[in-house]
Amino acid sequence: MRQFEQRADTAFATAIDVGHLNRQTMGDRSLEREVLELFRRQARILLFRFDALTNPAERADVAHTLKGSARGVGANRVAFAADELERAAMAGEPTGKALAELAESVAEVTSAIELRYGLDR
């Protein structure tokens, strides 16, 4: 059991800036969990929404929203990938590579959140 907890803590610390999250939630573990559960759900929804849209401006707005949410919880890799996706969408450039990077980073963060809190996927 101890090994599992260490793995969960390591995965979480890799995916989330724990210091930033702690400042945002004032060290309240209950609030931390609530915020991260909301982020986990929202990130998945926004990825699907982005993929369903065709208008570059709407796609950029979705990426921008995800970027802000990721910054709020300290999911820095997600924020960076969302920023790249937003830039590509606004420029009318192909978004496949940026979207794949974002999806991978979201999967890493959501997995770490689920592992930390024992959530069902």
Side-chain angles (χ1 to χ4, degrees):
M1 187 65 165
R2 182 81 179 130
Q3 187 178 20
F4 175 80
E5 289 172 1
Q6 287 176 332
R7 196 177 97 217
D9 288 345
T10 300
F12 189 78
T14 300
I16 299 283
D17 179 340
V18 178
H20 176 79
L21 179 62
N22 197 32
R23 287 188 300 278
Q24 294 295 94
T25 59
M26 298 164 285
D28 183 330
R29 294 281 290 190
S30 177
L31 179 58
E32 174 185 300
R33 180 180 177 148
E34 183 179 341
V35 166
L36 290 174
E37 285 183 31
L38 288 170
F39 174 75
R40 177 180 73 114
R41 277 187 247 124
Q42 181 190 38
R44 289 178 173 164
I45 290 167
L46 291 174
L47 277 176
F48 285 116
R49 185 175 296 160
F50 182 91
D51 201 37
L53 294 170
T54 57
N55 180 296
E58 290 175 339
R59 293 180 110 202
D61 285 346
V62 169
H64 183 79
T65 299
L66 184 51
K67 176 177 67 175
S69 295
R71 285 182 176 162
V73 299
N76 296 327
R77 183 173 171 222
V78 173
F80 178 77
D83 186 54
E84 287 297 307
L85 185 60
E86 178 185 15
R87 185 199 57 73
M90 288 185 70
E93 297 173 358
T95 57
K97 183 177 178 183
L99 181 57
E101 176 64 29
L102 180 58
E104 182 180 309
S105 63
V106 165
E108 175 189 41
V109 169
T110 57
S111 177
I113 292 168
E114 290 162 357
L115 192 60
R116 181 177 180 104
Y117 296 108
L119 302 173
D120 290 333
R121 294 180 181 225

